[in-house]
Amino acid sequence: ILVIDDELEICKQISLILSKQGYEVTYANSYKEFVDLELRNFDYDVVLVDLWLKNSSKQGIDIINELKFSQEIEDAQKILLNF
């Protein structure tokens, strides 16, 4: 599972909750971190994205739209969140 949120504490809390349930979780605190992860190796079944990413060149909806057209992740579930 990949969590994308600009608030580090939210990323940590979501990661903790999901990890306790047995999921492997990675998080990115910005669009730039997401791109860095995506370029390395995108192997996620679920992507949770915050709707509003402060101080970012792209917002959550932009990331979801990018992922919809990505061959590597077309089967992954994409979920847009608003905290």
Side-chain angles (χ1 to χ4, degrees):
I1 298 175
L2 174 61
V3 177
I4 305 169
D5 194 299
D6 57 320
E7 295 184 46
L8 182 59
E9 195 57 38
I10 289 176
C11 286
K12 288 181 178 180
Q13 290 299 318
I14 292 173
S15 296
L16 179 65
I17 292 166
L18 293 173
S19 294
K20 284 183 177 180
Q21 298 298 317
Y23 295 101
E24 187 176 327
V25 182
T26 302
Y27 58 83
N29 284 106
S30 67
Y31 178 72
K32 182 186 177 323
E33 283 185 33
F34 158 71
V35 170
D36 291 344
L37 286 172
E38 185 181 33
L39 292 176
R40 276 189 266 156
N41 182 15
F42 206 98
D43 189 26
Y44 303 101
D45 296 319
V46 177
V47 182
L48 304 174
V49 186
D50 186 17
L51 177 62
W52 303 108
L53 300 173
K54 297 176 200 95
N55 302 320
S56 181
S57 61
K58 301 224 177 175
Q59 297 303 312
I61 194 71
D62 301 317
I63 294 172
I64 294 290
N65 285 331
E66 280 185 33
L67 294 174
K68 283 189 343 188
F69 299 106
S70 172
Q71 297 286 11
E72 296 83 27
I73 192 170
E74 63 186 356
D75 294 332
Q77 298 298 308
K78 300 146 198 85
I79 302 169
L80 192 60
L81 303 172
N82 188 18
F83 298 107

